[in-house]
Amino acid sequence: MKFEYDIEGGNFSRAGFASSEVKKKLRQLNVDIQIVRRIVVALYEAEVNVVAHAWYGKMTVDIDEEKILLILDDEGPGIEDIDLAMKEGFSTASPEVREMGFGAGMGLPNIKKNVDTLKITSEPGKGTRVEMITYMKGGKNEKS
Amino acid sequence: MERRCLIMDLQQMANIIDGRVVANGNESRTGYNTAFASDLMSDVLTLDQENVVLITGLATLQTIRTAEMADINCIIFVRNKKASPEMISLARESGINIVECRYTMFRASGLLYQAGLNPVY
């Protein structure tokens, strides 16, 4: 089962709309409540990143019996140094993003904590792709 | 000295901090016994606990969204911050209660702690 949502860069009042829709869908599909919570936290952080940094983005959610695959593809400035971006406390967020309660350099580490696999690829000047996988069984949800 | 921990309902909490319930998005069946105070939404999103009360001075739509994602169903806005009609509408839709209070975050947190709410850690 696959769902797609558009994300508008810079539109802070709409940030979280797509993640909220995914949360409703996952609940309807009776996905384990702890898995839903972890996924939507990761998804929301990723969505806020797209709104904060990119011009346009697309969120794709692909669910099967084994796993949930989440992909955020954006057109934007990209990330020059992904290892640096992953460091807690590092941020290039604008004052506007900080006023919304984000931009403290905690987003990517928190995404990593909440999903089973995280893969970030980026081309500076073009955009970024964030791929996250959460397994229905045997992932971090069962280890914690 | 041993601390007295209590489970309280929305109105009891509002009374303790001289606050006003402006959105009653859900009737919590279990009541509240834990709270977390922060203006940093990324911090809120790192919480693992459920049924936590969020005490914050950041009154934006993203505060409501953050609560929704973190399964927080009660927000207390301190320092006289007001929830906009858009925020109240989103809170109701998401089953989130909102209390507005004129006290500082320190005072509101202190009073609720004294009354028996627990910290998350």
Side-chain angles (χ1 to χ4, degrees):
Chain A
M1 208 177 299
K2 207 169 178 176
F3 311 102
E4 278 189 358
Y5 303 93
D6 289 326
I7 306 168
E8 202 182 319
N11 189 345
F12 290 99
S13 63
R14 217 176 141 77
F17 179 82
S19 302
S20 174
E21 291 300 302
V22 173
K23 184 177 184 178
K24 286 172 200 154
K25 282 267 192 297
L26 295 178
R27 283 268 170 93
Q28 279 168 12
L29 292 168
N30 277 326
V31 175
D32 176 83
I33 200 158
Q34 285 303 326
I35 293 182
V36 174
R37 189 168 189 271
R38 282 169 176 267
I39 282 177
V40 296
V41 164
L43 208 48
Y44 178 51
E45 288 273 20
E47 185 179 355
V48 168
N49 277 347
V50 172
V51 174
H53 298 285
W55 307 305
Y56 165 77
K58 182 163 269 191
M59 178 191 287
T60 310
V61 182
D62 197 347
I63 307 168
D64 61 34
E65 283 176 8
E66 183 203 351
K67 64 182 184 307
I68 303 174
L69 169 67
L70 314 153
I71 299 173
L72 283 97
D73 252 322
D74 75 45
E75 290 166 18
I79 304 171
E80 292 276 352
D81 185 338
I82 293 172
D83 289 339
L84 186 59
M86 286 301 298
K87 281 209 173 116
E88 200 158 323
F90 179 82
S91 176
T92 57
S94 65
E96 197 184 2
V97 176
R98 292 171 199 267
E99 278 166 23
M100 308 296 294
F102 294 93
M106 295 172 72
L108 289 179
N110 200 23
I111 291 174
K112 197 176 175 187
K113 179 188 137 194
N114 280 293
V115 294
D116 291 324
T117 67
L118 167 66
K119 187 178 159 199
I120 303 173
T121 46
S122 186
E123 197 174 336
K126 283 206 163 172
T128 301
R129 182 182 174 94
V130 175
E131 284 183 61
M132 303 172 271
I133 298 175
T134 289
Y135 295 98
M136 299 290 195
K137 283 185 182 155
K140 284 180 186 168
N141 291 293
E142 288 186 3
K143 287 174 196 150
S144 62
Chain B
M1 193 173 74
E2 202 164 305
R3 234 174 75 72
R4 187 176 59 113
C5 297
L6 275 184
I7 294 177
M8 32 186 120
D9 66 25
L10 184 66
Q11 197 54 56
Q12 279 173 314
M13 283 196 301
N15 291 346
I16 288 163
I17 54 174
D18 196 18
R20 194 165 69 96
V21 177
V22 294
N24 203 338
N26 77 84
E27 294 283 338
S28 173
R29 277 163 294 194
T30 50
Y32 302 99
N33 70 350
T34 311
F36 182 73
S38 181
D39 282 352
L40 186 60
M41 295 302 109
S42 294
D43 230 358
V44 178
L45 289 167
T46 62
L47 298 179
D48 294 323
Q49 291 86 344
E50 284 167 32
N51 209 21
V52 172
V53 176
L54 172 62
I55 304 166
T56 183
L58 188 82
T60 72
L61 262 184
Q62 291 319 311
T63 312
I64 316 290
R65 283 285 185 215
T66 298
E68 182 193 354
M69 305 305 160
D71 287 337
I72 286 172
N73 66 25
C74 182
I75 304 170
I76 296 173
F77 286 124
V78 293
R79 302 200 311 267
N80 225 8
K81 301 290 176 188
K82 302 291 180 200
S84 67
E86 207 181 355
M87 287 161 62
I88 291 174
S89 157
L90 183 61
R92 287 198 177 122
E93 200 184 297
S94 312
I96 295 167
N97 298 324
I98 300 179
V99 177
E100 288 175 351
C101 147
R102 63 193 160 84
Y103 295 161
T104 60
M105 190 190 278
F106 181 74
R107 186 172 177 184
S109 301
L111 286 168
L112 290 170
Y113 179 81
Q114 191 179 35
L117 279 194
N118 285 320
V120 292
Y121 49 80

